[in-house]
Amino acid sequence: MLSKLCPNLYVGSLHHIDFSHLKGIGVEGIVFDIDNTVTMWGSTEIPATTRKWLEDAKTHGFRVCLLSNNRKNRIDDISRMLDIPSAKGFKPLGSAFRSALCLLGTLPQETAIIGDQIFTDILGGNRAGLYTILVQPMSTNEFITTKFFRKLERIVLRKLACRGLLKQEDSDPHNFTE
Ligand SMILES: [Mg+2]
């Protein structure tokens, strides 16, 4: 079970992800979680640096989509603002990831999921066969049940680190421009 909770890569934020690394391992499509990955929880405000990173991902030739179980109206608003298609689905269910893959037109092994939650983004992504990237949440403001799961996440991260399973990217942020 612990292996299904282990991200392939653990980084501080989107800006620490190296596009050339993703290209090198055959990634062609990227699925993005929304809350606390590209926006603050419950907000439709997207930092300019995040917008630029997402634009850069497109420029590098990646197919991109959003995947969230949030309200459809909110997902649609963010999708329009970023000009990125969106799928709605309840992570970690496989059907959510199949919807995203269908939207991207990529195979699981050609696709990465980037998200801030182990029990939804990472567990679901691993089970669906995607390359999984865990980012640290953009803020501590979040849903009450998420706060509970954060405690479990900390335990999981400690265990993964103790067993040497956690691949972290500690270097300076890549592709980051203020
Ligand atoms: Mg999230």
Side-chain angles (χ1 to χ4, degrees):
M1 179 62 182
L2 199 58
S3 66
K4 291 290 183 207
L5 298 174
C6 184
N8 293 113
L9 187 63
Y10 180 32
V11 295
S13 73
L14 293 179
H15 309 292
H16 293 80
I17 298 168
D18 186 353
F19 292 130
S20 59
H21 166 67
L22 295 183
K23 287 275 180 193
I25 58 170
V27 169
E28 294 184 11
I30 308 175
V31 181
F32 295 94
D33 166 55
I34 293 180
D35 283 297
N36 271 334
T37 297
V38 299
T39 69
M40 301 288 192
W41 179 72
S43 167
T44 51
E45 277 182 38
I46 300 157
T49 50
T50 302
R51 282 176 184 253
K52 182 174 185 315
W53 193 93
L54 293 167
E55 280 304 313
D56 287 348
K58 287 191 253 183
T59 305
H60 277 75
F62 292 103
R63 295 181 223 177
V64 294
C65 81
L66 304 167
L67 175 61
S68 172
N69 56 359
N70 210 281
R71 284 181 298 106
K72 186 172 184 312
N73 286 353
R74 179 158 179 270
I75 297 172
D76 288 345
D77 286 347
I78 293 169
S79 177
R80 263 193 304 275
M81 275 193 290
L82 292 172
D83 192 24
I84 293 178
S86 60
K88 178 170 165 52
F90 192 77
K91 294 172 283 183
L93 294 184
S95 56
F97 290 85
R98 283 193 292 277
S99 297
L101 290 173
C102 187
L103 201 56
L104 291 174
T106 53
L107 297 170
Q109 62 269 28
E110 300 168 335
T111 312
I113 167 83
I114 303 176
D116 70 302
Q117 288 196 54
I118 287 179
F119 294 99
T120 56
D121 306 306
I122 303 306
L123 174 61
N126 281 337
R127 285 195 342 206
L130 278 65
Y131 183 78
T132 51
I133 303 175
L134 180 68
V135 294
Q136 288 175 12
M138 290 172 81
S139 82
T140 54
N141 183 23
E142 47 199 0
F143 201 58
I144 187 81
T145 52
T146 308
K147 285 179 189 287
F148 167 75
F149 278 109
R150 291 292 182 209
K151 291 179 184 170
L152 296 180
E153 283 186 351
R154 281 194 285 275
I155 295 169
V156 170
L157 286 172
R158 264 201 306 274
K159 285 194 174 187
L160 291 172
C162 282
R163 295 182 191 188
L165 297 171
L166 207 54
K167 182 177 185 299
Q168 286 182 268
E169 177 58 75
D170 294 323
S171 59
D172 289 337
H174 298 283
N175 313 301
F176 182 71
T177 313
E178 283 290 351

